[in-house]
């Protein structure tokens, strides 16, 4: 009987995820029938005329995550290298703790902090510099076109990069620690510098795990809701400049779901939720498969 | 020539290692700045009123009593619903299901649930409970939170049970204990500290969760302990008040943020101190 209870609890975990999928598909029915494939390719989002397309939100989701990864990956790898190679032993624990506390801070705290501290700071100090810096360069001048709003896609990307930092760092640190000491010592013995050991011994050895950790962080960034909702400005259009307000799928749902009184509006929001689910499911599955492979390698 | 190469390698190394230092420092700096802001903005709002008065209409003076109570009720209930399911499922993975297809599937799906966007959980519970009851309720909020507790507890329970050596289980089985006694009296006891850590981490995870509560538990202006009605809670108070034009409301949002963060930090540190001695033993 005990066995049966544990087994049904295990099956319940599967049912939960199945339930999420079924409910999302069921809820997006009206929207799928009304807009078909065009939902993915148009960026009109008009609750009054009930015309909806998710392209703006999808674009925002992808671009904010991309910015988060561009900043988050090098910093996370840097911290992981610091912890495994450079850090004096007595400092290892405090730094590890600090990084894990960073992961523990709830999303909404990043949101309120981003809105009142980060956004004004970026608006006053960073964005004007970026605008001036990239003005003469064609291409980049549109991406970083002014005015500095403070809130927008760029700020959301920055706050996301802070939030994915602990996830990527802790996975990378863990896989770095699986590198056999003999390998590193032989490289050091040949006269390699620390950087060369990291670049040519540790990274190749742990590549699968590091990529898995990055995908895990990416999965988090794509679905992150509250922090983004506060700082992105909730505008359903694709602006040429990343400094302009935008929206993401999760921010749109958080902002608008309560106001949408049933009908097509609600259904369109649920369908964009379905899209978000599919994207994150794929990314997180890839992360898991890679990390499983890394784990098997470590055990061998 | 060789000296030049040598110099260049040293230089590259120096630059990259400096960057690693900078990265580590910036990580700590972010944490420090966030905590400092929270204390600076939130601490001035802490007074007896916060714990004795209920949330006011926007712009007016008041406290957070109903939101604190609501958060406590839903967190406790969410944990109470999610923990047994999580422990049982984790037990299946580590004990009965070793090597089975079902266990592999559950482990994989559980890992997905662990990082799945929590707003989608909110949508699911909205569809499952709120549309059926025709309004938001504290029950819906608690169930949404419990869905976030399950994957955390499954994961830690399985990991902790795997650390229990099989020789202990065999010894218990050899004196004639049935399987459930072996698990309940031997495996659980050996893994207890780690399993409690998992539950604490799960509580920490749901303490600040906002996305799944916004349209399941919604908000309530008044003190209420009626589980079938909408219930105030700290995260949604922050969500509603942070953008307010009134300083008094913004102050309440900051104070609520400070309270949540203190709770989360305390839970995290509690979990950490609990798990330290066991990791030394094993």
């Amino acid at each position: 009987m005990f066995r049966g209870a544990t087994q049904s609890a295990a099956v319940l975990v599967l049912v939960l995820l199945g339930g999420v999928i079924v409910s999302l598909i069921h809820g997006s029915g009206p929207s799928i029938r009304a807009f078909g494939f065009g939902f993915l390719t148009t960026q009109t989002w008009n609750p009054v005329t009930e015309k909806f397309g998710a392209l703006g939100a999808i674009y925002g989701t992808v671009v904010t995550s991309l910015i988060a990864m561009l900043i988050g990956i090098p910093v996370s790898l840097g911290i992981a290298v610091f912890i495994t190679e450079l850090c004096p032993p007595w400092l290892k624990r405090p730094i590890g703790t600090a990084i894990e506390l960073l992961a523990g801070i709830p999303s909404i705290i990043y949101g309120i902090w981003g809105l009142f501290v980060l956004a004004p700071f970026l608006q006053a100090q960073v964005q004007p510099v970026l605008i001036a810096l990239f003005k003469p360069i064609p291409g980049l001048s549109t991406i970083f076109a002014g005015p500095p709003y403070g809130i927008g896609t760029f700020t959301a990307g920055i706050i996301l990069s802070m939030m994915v930092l602990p996830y990527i760092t802790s996975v990378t640190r863990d896989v770095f620690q699986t590198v056999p000491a003999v390998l590193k010592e032989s490289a050091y013995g040949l006269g390699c510098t620390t950087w060369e050991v990291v670049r040519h011994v540790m990274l190749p050895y742990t590549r699968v795990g590091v990529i898995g950790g990055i995908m895990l962080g990416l999965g988090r960034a794509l679905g992150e809701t509250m922090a983004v909702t506060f700082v992105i400005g909730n505008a359903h259009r694709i602006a040429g400049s990343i400094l302009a307000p935008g929206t993401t799928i999760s921010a749109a749902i958080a902002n608008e779901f309560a106001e949408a009184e049933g009908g097509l509006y609600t259904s369109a929001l649920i369908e964009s939720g379905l899209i978000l689910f599919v994207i994150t499911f794929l990314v997180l599955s890839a992360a898991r498969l890679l990390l499983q492979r890394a784990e098997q390698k470590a055990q061998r | 020539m060789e000296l030049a190469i040598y110099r260049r390698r040293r230089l590259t190394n120096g630059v990259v290692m400096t960057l690693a230092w900078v990265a580590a420092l910036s990580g700590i700096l972010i944490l420090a700045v966030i905590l400092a802001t929270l204390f600076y903005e939130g601490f001035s709002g802490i007074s007896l009123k916060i714990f004795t008065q209920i949330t006011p209409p926007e712009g007016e003076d008041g406290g957070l009593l109903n939101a604190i109570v609501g958060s406590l009720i839903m967190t406790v209930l969410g944990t109470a619903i999610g923990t047994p399911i999580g422990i049982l499922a984790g037990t299946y993975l580590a004990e009965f299901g070793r090597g089975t297809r079902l266990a592999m599937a559950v482990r994989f799906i559980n890992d997905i649930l662990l990082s799945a966007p929590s707003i989608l959980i909110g949508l699911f519970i909205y569809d499952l409970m709120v549309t059926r009851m025709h309004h938001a309720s504290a029950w819906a909020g608690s169930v949404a939170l419990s869905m976030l507790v399950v994957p955390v507890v499954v994961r830690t329970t399985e990991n902790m049970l795997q650390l229990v050596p099989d020789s202990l289980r065999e010894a218990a089985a050899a004196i004639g204990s049935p399987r459930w006694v072996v698990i309940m009296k031997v495996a659980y006891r050996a893994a207890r500290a780690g399993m409690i850590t998992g539950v604490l981490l799960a509580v920490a995870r749901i303490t600040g969760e906002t996305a799944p509560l916004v349209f399941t538990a919604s908000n309530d202006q008044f003190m209420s302990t009626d589980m079938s009605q909408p219930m105030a809670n700290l995260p949604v108070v922050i969500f509603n008040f942070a953008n307010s034009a009134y300083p008094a409301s913004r102050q309440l949002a900051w104070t609520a943020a400070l309270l949540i963060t203190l709770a989360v930090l305390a839970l995290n540190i509690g979990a950490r101190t609990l798990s330290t001695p066991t990791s030394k033993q094993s």
Side-chain angles (χ1 to χ4, degrees), chain B residues 183-250:
Chain B
I183 294 171
M184 299 274 248
K185 299 247 159 112
V186 179
Y188 280 172
R189 213 168 270 187
R192 192 173 51 201
M195 286 163 67
I196 296 174
T197 304
V199 176
L200 285 180
L201 287 176
V203 177
R205 164 96 199 268
I206 62 171
T207 298
E209 271 296 345
T210 318
L213 288 180
V214 176
F215 29 82
T216 55
S218 194
N219 202 355
D220 182 18
Q221 284 277 314
F222 304 103
M223 187 71 199
S224 156
T225 48
D226 184 353
M227 294 299 292
S228 62
Q229 292 298 319
M231 190 179 271
N233 56 86
L234 289 172
V236 176
V237 167
I238 304 177
F239 184 59
N240 289 339
F241 278 178
N243 255 323
S244 169
Y246 301 99
S249 297
R250 283 206 304 272

Side-chain angles (χ1 to χ4, degrees), chain A residues 6 9-10 14 19 23 82 100 104 108-109 113 115-117 191 193-196 220 225-226 230 257 273 288, chain B residues 9 13 16 21 24 37 88 92 96 106 109 111 114 119-120 123-124 126-127 210 235 242-243 250 257 261 264 272:
Chain A
T6 62
L14 297 181
S23 128
F82 178 81
E100 271 160 47
I108 192 151
I109 306 296
W113 182 79
L115 179 66
F116 289 111
V117 181
T193 60
T194 313
W195 164 240
E196 285 160 350
R220 289 273 174 176
T225 310
M226 277 304 147
F230 273 90
F257 195 79
R288 279 303 150 198
Chain B
R9 286 175 55 203
N13 186 55
V16 177
W21 270 94
T37 323
L88 285 175
Y92 179 79
F96 297 111
V106 171
I109 294 302
D111 279 344
L114 198 61
I119 187 125
L120 297 180
L123 283 182
F124 171 55
Y126 182 88
D127 187 30
T210 318
N243 255 323
R250 283 206 304 272
T261 311
V264 171
R272 194 167 296 279

Side-chain angles (χ1 to χ4, degrees), chain B residues 100-270:
Chain B
T100 59
R101 280 255 177 81
L102 176 65
M104 276 163 69
V106 171
R107 197 172 293 131
F108 188 77
I109 294 302
N110 188 66
D111 279 344
I112 303 268
L113 272 179
L114 198 61
S115 347
S118 55
I119 187 125
L120 297 180
I121 309 281
L123 283 182
F124 171 55
I125 298 299
Y126 182 88
D127 187 30
L128 193 71
M129 299 178 71
V130 179
T131 46
R132 259 157 235 183
M133 297 165 84
H134 300 293
H135 55 77
S137 70
W139 281 120
S142 308
V143 173
L145 291 181
S146 76
M147 277 190 70
L148 298 165
V149 171
V150 170
V152 180
V153 176
V154 170
R155 189 67 182 286
T156 44
T157 304
E158 190 201 354
N159 288 349
M160 289 306 133
L161 286 177
Q162 276 171 346
L163 289 179
V164 178
D166 275 341
S167 51
L168 268 183
R169 293 190 183 91
E170 284 155 8
I175 55 169
S177 331
R179 194 74 190 267
W180 68 273
V181 174
V182 175
I183 294 171
M184 299 274 248
K185 299 247 159 112
V186 179
Y188 280 172
R189 213 168 270 187
R192 192 173 51 201
M195 286 163 67
I196 296 174
T197 304
V199 176
L200 285 180
L201 287 176
V203 177
R205 164 96 199 268
I206 62 171
T207 298
E209 271 296 345
T210 318
L213 288 180
V214 176
F215 29 82
T216 55
S218 194
N219 202 355
D220 182 18
Q221 284 277 314
F222 304 103
M223 187 71 199
S224 156
T225 48
D226 184 353
M227 294 299 292
S228 62
Q229 292 298 319
M231 190 179 271
N233 56 86
L234 289 172
V236 176
V237 167
I238 304 177
F239 184 59
N240 289 339
F241 278 178
N243 255 323
S244 169
Y246 301 99
S249 297
R250 283 206 304 272
Q251 180 62 58
L252 275 181
W254 275 114
T255 309
L258 177 64
L259 291 179
I260 287 180
T261 311
L262 288 178
V264 171
L265 291 184
L267 283 164
N268 267 304
I269 290 166

Side-chain angles (χ1 to χ4, degrees), chain A residues 50-172:
Chain A
E50 297 215 308
K51 289 265 175 290
F52 298 103
L55 189 63
I58 297 173
Y59 170 84
T61 306
V62 172
V63 171
T64 48
S65 301
L66 211 68
I67 299 172
M69 289 296 119
L70 278 178
I71 302 169
I73 293 171
V75 178
S76 307
L77 290 183
I79 300 178
V81 168
F82 178 81
I83 293 177
T84 44
E85 294 300 304
L86 299 177
C87 184
W90 58 268
L91 204 63
K92 266 189 186 166
R93 233 184 121 77
I95 289 196
T97 310
I99 298 298
E100 271 160 47
L101 288 182
L102 213 51
I105 294 180
S107 168
I108 192 151
I109 306 296
Y110 281 97
I112 190 172
W113 182 79
L115 179 66
F116 289 111
V117 181
L118 185 68
F121 171 77
L122 291 178
Q123 183 177 22
Q125 309 293 332
V126 179
Q127 292 182 352
V129 178
L130 288 175
I131 293 168
L133 190 69
F134 292 116
K135 200 152 211 168
I137 310 167
L140 284 179
S141 64
T142 11
I143 295 179
F144 291 98
Y149 289 100
I151 56 173
T153 311
F154 177 72
T155 311
I158 303 271
I159 203 104
L160 282 179
S161 73
M162 294 175 180
M163 299 182 70
V164 298
L165 205 76
Y167 296 105
I168 306 181
T169 303
S170 72
V171 173
T172 322

Side-chain angles (χ1 to χ4, degrees), chain A residues 266-278:
Chain A
T266 303
S267 183
L269 284 170
I270 296 180
E271 192 185 348
S272 47
L274 180 64
I275 297 168
L276 174 66
F277 180 84
V278 172

